[in-house]
Amino acid sequence: MLTLNNPITYIKGVSVQKASLLYAELGIKTCNDLLNFFPFRYIDKTTFYTINQLQPTTAEVQIVGKITSVKSVAQKRGSRLVATFQDQTGSIELVWFKGQKWIKDALRINEPYVVYGKLNHYNGSFSIPHPELELVAVYKKKLQSKMQPVYPSTEKLTNSGVSNKLMRTYVQNLLQQFFDHITESLSQEIIDNFNLMSKREALLNAHFPKSQESLAKAQSRLKFEELFFIQLQLLRKKLINKSKIKGFVFENVSNNFNTFYNDYLPFNLTNAQKRVLKEIRKDVASGAHMNRLLQGDVGSGKTIVALLAMLLALDNGFQATMMAPTEILATQHYIAISEMLANMNIKVALLTGSVRVKKRREIHNDLMDGSLHILIGTHALLEDKVTFKNLGIAIIDEQHRFGVAQRSKLWKKNTIVPHILVMTATPIPRTLAMSVYGDLDVSVIDELPPGRKEVKTVHRFDSNRLSVFKFMKDEIEKGRQVYIVYPLIQESEAMDYKDLMDGYESVSREFPSPKYQISIVHGQMKPADKEFEMQRFVNGETQIMVATTVIEVGVNVPNASVMIIESAERFGLSQLHQLRGRVGRGADQSYCILLSSYKLSEEGKTRLKTMVDTTDGFKIAEVDLKLRGPGNIMGTQQSGVLNLKIADIVKDSKILVAARNTAISLLQDDDNLSKPENSNIKKTFIQLVKTSKIWSEIS
Ligand code: ADP
Ligand code: MG
């Protein structure tokens, strides 16, 4: 039986040899694979030229004429084959350097050909090297498309005779043999709603477009379909998780939560914080398992939301834990949370790599007998020895720093999976979040606490360093503190270290002790020394912190108001944004100065300009996505957005939103896809689930 799952050897003209080559080089195995292997561009053959119309600037041409003579011309190395090609208006040369013997035998003199190729212009005469040639008689018979597809290829394929022309023939034969086997994959309702092309029409036109317009329609139909089925898979997974994974029910809101909220909350929550808290409360009371991603820009106040969620767990007899990526950050959380809970009867502990054995044992015991309520820590939390009596909620801060395996380890610490709240200050563009985290619930704190002043950001060249020093002095005079950050890139650690040390020296000269005190923190220091230096800065004993990017995540020193980033062009956008987030945390006007050399790449310029233009983390993330593509954004690697065949997550965001909304309303109406009008979708879906890899597993 002919089906599109047949290997491509079923296609007329595809030998076993060529088939295995196509599989090895491009991963094309079945007819379906080839059908979904799309051209990356099209040669527009709507125009024919006459020879007297050719200009030295003309690029690709198509001409009808005859070959009048063929000769071999000796050259420095070997020879070339030259054919004279004529139409009514003049003549040009067709030239071959390879395959001369074979071509010479195949050429027919004085028969009309359509010739196509790149035009060369040399010394006033035109030639086309290695042209495509087709007898007019054959040309007329073929399934002709005026726009010809050009398929992605590899050197090996081209060298083994799989030319673009041959690929075209394969696809053409495939379409002719299998056209009737292409079945519609969307429901009539969706097709009508969006006025989509039918699947057959779309596939035909994606390979052999009738016109620019039909190409556009074909592509948008196929993109919609691709994104729609991804969304359908993610949303189905979410539905299944919700119904399958039981969650603890936090039905009580009592003592801990209320006392804290009414008596000890240090400020009023912003509306965004309130909204997110409501979303969390609804989740944890529902009986289903919460798996929620909380996005909020640096300084938006995620910690307090996390704390309130933990208090809910406590009110229901559960323990809570919070994991942070660095010791500094975990310690800060511990201090802040202990202070806020100081007058309440809640036991909080800190567990990091540097906690002594004795203390560690104590923590282990208190955890198991339930007398310890909240445990804050680093990766040390993941050790097998750390077992909770009854963990109700696990909070993961700055999740992009943790690997998937680490994260899932945390919630294997219970027989029932605790509720999960993952927090990130690396905003993920909405479109990407939909594709990568489409199976999670997402909350966003999109509002900063009141009174924050936007960090003023400028870009200065290295040569302006003196005036930057002057500015630092003025700020320090006012009692402020300053960060100076140097890049650290793994491959050139030694060089970066030297940069840092040179910088430290020149800063020390400019800011001599005892008037000025300087802290220095970098990756080659022992944790205890780092901690000591950091602490001096936190306590205000030093006015300047010279550091590599170790301070990037989370550190909170409200009195620091100047962030100077050296060689700023070497940092990525999200890193720059994170660094800038270290200042602007107090009531004072804060500044970020991006220093760079004069030599800047286009991309480097765009990054710095973006930083100067906006402080909106989501806008910055959008630019980042455009600059670097989804492959470099955290979390995408496992998600399948990189394997898209036709859609582009950046460019096709409108289609993505439409596809997601369509998938949502479809599942609301028919969660099992069992209605007859959705049978096309169901069939395709089942087939896809069978063949596709597992989708994003963040939990
Ligand atoms: P992030 O979201 O970056 O983790 P934090 O939770 O560390 O932010 O909060 C940043 C600062 O803002 C902290 O000093 C915190 O106390 C303060 N803060 C948080 N929420 C509010 C609020 N609603 N009003 C005033 N200050 C707040
Ligand atoms: Mg934080």
Side-chain angles (χ1 to χ4, degrees), residues 266-270 273 296-304 333 340 397-398 423 425 445 449-450 452 554 556 558 582 585:
F267 35 68
N268 292 325
L269 295 186
T270 62
Q273 284 169 322
D297 219 336
V298 273
S300 60
K302 294 184 290 294
T303 318
I304 196 81
H333 280 321
M340 285 192 272
D397 195 17
E398 309 295 353
M423 308 199 292
I445 304 186
R452 291 280 169 77
N556 192 23
R582 297 306 104 214
R585 309 197 133 224

Side-chain angles (χ1 to χ4, degrees), residues 328-392:
I328 293 175
L329 196 54
T331 309
Q332 272 199 352
H333 280 321
Y334 172 70
I335 293 169
I337 287 174
S338 305
E339 269 172 17
M340 285 192 272
L341 300 179
N343 296 318
M344 292 177 64
N345 197 12
I346 295 174
K347 193 162 174 190
V348 187
L350 173 69
L351 183 65
T352 67
S354 47
V355 170
R356 294 287 153 85
V357 180
K358 189 162 159 255
K359 177 76 189 158
R360 207 177 267 255
R361 275 205 203 110
E362 197 183 308
I363 290 175
H364 291 165
N365 288 336
D366 292 354
L367 264 188
M368 281 205 282
D369 69 22
S371 59
L372 180 58
H373 304 110
I374 295 179
L375 181 62
I376 296 168
T378 54
H379 303 82
L381 294 177
L382 301 175
E383 283 165 18
D384 291 335
K385 279 190 194 138
V386 182
T387 40
F388 292 81
K389 185 177 175 216
N390 56 354
L391 180 61

Side-chain angles (χ1 to χ4, degrees), residues 27-82:
I28 296 171
K29 195 172 186 177
T30 65
C31 294
N32 218 359
D33 292 341
L34 185 60
L35 203 52
N36 288 292
F37 183 70
F38 296 109
F40 71 98
R41 71 182 185 98
Y42 301 82
I43 297 165
D44 191 344
K45 290 195 171 171
T46 43
T47 340
F48 282 91
Y49 285 82
T50 54
I51 290 173
N52 64 358
Q53 288 172 331
L54 302 179
Q55 301 290 329
T57 49
T58 316
E60 287 168 341
V61 293
Q62 181 173 241
I63 311 166
V64 179
K66 291 173 182 170
I67 293 172
T68 52
S69 66
V70 183
K71 60 177 188 262
S72 234
V73 180
Q75 52 184 42
K76 252 188 209 154
R77 282 215 207 133
S79 64
R80 62 178 189 272
L81 186 70
V82 178

